[in-house]
Amino acid sequence: MSGLSDRILGLGLLVLAVAYGWGAQQWPEPFGGSEGVGPETFPTILSVVLVIGSLYLMLKPDPEALWPWGKTAIELLVAVVVLVIYTSLMEPLGFVVSTTLAVGTLSWRMGAPSGKAFITGLLSAVVVFVLFNYGLSLSLPAGPLEIN
């Protein structure tokens, strides 16, 4: 059967999307009543996008491809390790610092010069932090940069 690995991946992502969307709906209602944009909004949007993507993978799979070996497989493993470390550092270091490190490291691994990679990481982290905290009123962890 052609595209079996895409279909299996699509099914796994569909299960993840449904679980993630259900989990997003379990957030307690904010103090003072419901709002248009609450803590569940962004995870819900992500789960809908993931459902669409997973259904596409299952319905229109690519022909079977060879799994990467050697340097490509190592780079993929490095990316997964960076993302796992990123999630564990989010609370203690805050969003801006941990995102700068993660995006900078991944950009550098993709071939960008280290200086430009970490500047890109810092700029993207600050833009997303400002957008979420001040534009959408959704707090991201500030870590040691928190101002009381």
Side-chain angles (χ1 to χ4, degrees):
M1 177 179 224
S2 180
L4 183 61
S5 61
D6 276 0
R7 287 188 170 100
I8 292 170
L9 176 63
L11 180 62
L13 291 175
L14 182 63
V15 170
L16 176 67
V18 170
Y20 188 69
W22 178 81
Q25 301 308 308
Q26 304 309 308
W27 286 96
E29 188 172 301
F31 180 74
S34 65
E35 301 174 5
V37 176
E40 77 284 350
T41 303
F42 189 68
T44 301
I45 292 170
L46 285 178
S47 69
V48 168
V49 170
L50 187 55
V51 164
I52 293 168
S54 62
L55 289 174
Y56 182 82
L57 271 175
M58 290 190 300
L59 298 174
K60 301 280 287 183
D62 287 338
E64 290 297 327
L66 297 174
W67 286 87
W69 296 103
K71 185 178 183 216
T72 304
I74 291 170
E75 290 297 332
L76 289 171
L77 183 61
V78 167
V80 169
V81 168
V82 166
L83 293 174
V84 168
I85 292 171
Y86 170 63
T87 59
S88 65
L89 293 178
M90 181 77 72
E91 284 293 324
L93 294 182
F95 180 82
V96 173
V97 174
S98 59
T99 301
T100 299
L101 293 172
V103 172
T105 302
L106 292 174
S107 297
W108 171 65
R109 296 303 306 157
M110 287 189 269
S114 59
K116 289 182 180 180
F118 285 95
I119 289 172
T120 300
L122 177 62
L123 291 175
S124 59
V126 169
V127 166
V128 171
F129 185 81
V130 168
L131 175 68
F132 272 67
N133 276 1
Y134 302 109
L136 298 174
S137 297
L138 297 173
S139 296
L140 294 172
L145 300 176
E146 187 169 355
I147 301 170
N148 290 326

